[in-house]
Each structure stands twice: as C-alpha cells, then as structure tokens.
Amino acid sequence: MAEENILQRAPSQHLGPEYKSNEEKPSATVSTKVSHENVTVLPQTPQLIALLTMIRDKNTNRADFIFYSNRINRLLVEEALNHLPVHPHTITTPVGRTYAGVKFEGKICGVSIMRAGEAMEQALRECCRSVRIGKILIQRDEETSKPRLFYDKLPGDISERWALLLDPMLATGGSALMAVDVLRSRGVPEDHILFLNLIASPEGAANFAQKFPKVRIVTAFVDQGLDEKNYIVPGLGDFGDRFYTM
C-alpha cells in the first residue's frame, strides 16, 4: 500500500527559473514524489535545495545549521498558514479606496514534540505574534521499542484552535502518530491539525497519511527512505543533537 503511493524516489531535476534552458540550470536531487492527497511538499526551488544541502552536510557547524534550519522552518510555517481558512474582508486604504481582501478565521496554536520540535518554535513566533505553544514529550520505550507518552502541556482551549504540530524529522512516524492521538483526545478535530516537518521518509509519510487522512502534512522534502535502523537516508543525522549540542 505504501509503495503504491511512491511515484518516484529521489529523482533528479534541473533547478532554476522557467525562462532558463536546462543547459543553463544545474541538476540536483529533489523530493521523492508521493501521491498522498494530504501531503504538501514545498516547491523544490534552488533556494530550498541550497538550504537543505547546507544542513545535510556533516561539515556544517552548529551556528550555520541553526541559521539555515530556521530559514527552512520559516518557509514551512508560511506554507502551513496558506492552508488555514480565511474569509472575505474589505478595507479602506490610506488614499480612500476600498480593497477586497481576506483575513484569517479562527485561532491557532503550536504544539512541539520535544525536544527537536522546539527548534521550530521561533519560526512560528516570527509569523504569528504571541502564538500559544504547547509541548508533548514522547520517547521510545527501551523494552518494547514503541513510543511512550511522558508529558504533555497544552492550551486549555486547544479544542477550539487549529494546531500546528512541530517535529523536524518524520521517520517511521511513531511519535507523530501518538502526538496526533493526544491532540484528538483533547478534542482537536483531525482536520484542524497540520503537521510540519523538514524531512520525511516515504514510509513515514505513508503511515501518517493512511492513519490520519484528514491531517495535513507540510514538509520540505520526502527523502529516499529508511535504513535498517529506521534512520532517514540520506537524511541529515540527529536534528536535535546538531541543533542544540554539536
């Protein structure tokens, strides 16, 4: 089932504006193509691929890793906000003319899966001033190798909000799936959850999309796959370690 939704793993693509010929544009590996309707992959632009190249490089120092990761996080948040509902809103400009626009409808909050997900909070705060942010701590049980909920602290009115779930890496999807279960148990409708991550595996995206088809996944890149240890490949290593300690 999962493999049927993978259209092409790690394809190569010429990067650059449409007005340039392919001979003028370098080729690079872009996101694996998947057919899940609830998975949105950022446009594979030269800027995004250059940023991903920086954070994938094992020689990138911690300061640069943080800087370039934050730039990608900002792109993810901006894209996620495009999926929130808006309604018509007409205003008057300083020259006395009216403009028929839109305004956001409803309230939002962020929910970070600790600790790596906390690295995405800055981008959300830069886009949404004074946004409330909840926390969920899920770790693997050493005896069963399954995810286990250790802690959660969420806004009291989260059932009335759109929840932006934050976790930079989607490997098998175990932690993210449990986090969605936590949100649903607090009354958040499935279609009011958006899951933001930098890099996903095709297997993790498939697991997530099939179990929660109404949750919108917004990712920068679907990678080639998982290795025998369920690490994303080619991946970027342990995001939390590289962001916080290395």
Side-chain angles (χ1 to χ4, degrees):
M1 178 71 73
E3 195 68 31
E4 293 176 357
N5 291 295
I6 300 171
L7 302 181
Q8 189 179 5
R9 288 182 185 263
S12 180
Q13 176 179 306
H14 291 282
L15 300 176
E18 293 184 0
Y19 61 80
K20 289 188 176 182
S21 66
N22 284 342
E23 288 72 21
E24 299 177 273
K25 297 186 289 188
S27 61
T29 301
V30 296
S31 175
T32 291
K33 300 182 185 299
V34 295
S35 62
H36 312 290
E37 292 184 356
N38 59 330
V39 176
T40 295
V41 180
L42 294 184
Q44 303 294 285
T45 62
Q47 175 185 207
L48 177 63
I49 298 302
L51 295 173
L52 286 166
T53 302
M54 288 295 298
I55 67 172
R56 287 183 188 274
D57 189 343
K58 68 178 183 179
N59 296 315
T60 297
N61 62 46
R62 178 169 172 260
D64 285 341
F65 184 87
I66 292 172
F67 177 81
Y68 293 112
S69 295
N70 284 338
R71 286 192 59 189
I72 300 173
N73 289 335
R74 180 67 179 261
L75 295 174
L76 287 167
V77 172
E78 296 283 9
E79 175 59 31
L81 295 177
N82 287 331
H83 297 272
L84 299 179
V86 295
H87 60 81
H89 183 63
T90 300
I91 53 88
T92 302
T93 73
V95 297
R97 300 296 181 90
T98 60
Y99 172 76
V102 297
K103 67 184 299 185
F104 287 113
E105 182 179 89
K107 301 180 291 184
I108 70 169
C109 71
V111 178
S112 56
I113 300 178
M114 302 166 66
R115 73 176 168 163
E118 294 173 305
M120 305 177 74
E121 293 177 5
Q122 178 182 337
L124 180 57
R125 289 193 175 99
E126 289 173 350
C127 295
C128 305
R129 187 171 53 188
S130 302
V131 65
R132 294 186 181 183
I133 296 181
K135 310 277 188 178
I136 296 178
L137 175 59
I138 297 171
Q139 294 181 339
R140 189 178 70 168
D141 189 301
E142 294 300 329
E143 295 182 359
T144 65
S145 296
K146 295 182 179 180
R148 178 183 172 190
L149 176 66
F150 280 85
Y151 171 85
D152 69 272
K153 182 68 174 178
L154 304 171
D157 62 347
I158 193 170
S159 63
E160 303 169 12
R161 297 176 178 269
W162 289 78
L164 276 62
L165 185 63
L166 311 174
D167 194 7
M169 307 295 285
L170 174 60
T172 62
S175 296
L177 292 172
M178 178 170 284
V180 172
D181 281 332
V182 172
L183 296 178
R184 293 173 68 236
S185 73
R186 301 301 177 85
V188 182
E190 188 176 319
D191 60 0
H192 279 46
I193 301 171
L194 294 95
F195 177 38
L196 283 60
N197 66 86
L198 273 78
I199 295 180
S201 73
E203 297 83 356
N207 291 340
F208 203 99
Q210 289 164 14
K211 183 170 182 180
F212 296 120
K214 294 182 180 180
V215 173
R216 171 63 51 182
I217 301 173
V218 180
T219 186
F221 202 98
V222 179
D223 239 340
Q224 183 176 345
L226 298 172
D227 66 12
E228 64 280 358
K229 296 181 179 180
N230 284 332
Y231 294 155
I232 299 175
V233 290
L236 52 75
D238 188 306
F239 185 95
D241 283 351
R242 296 189 68 186
F243 194 95
Y244 289 111
T245 62
M246 294 178 66

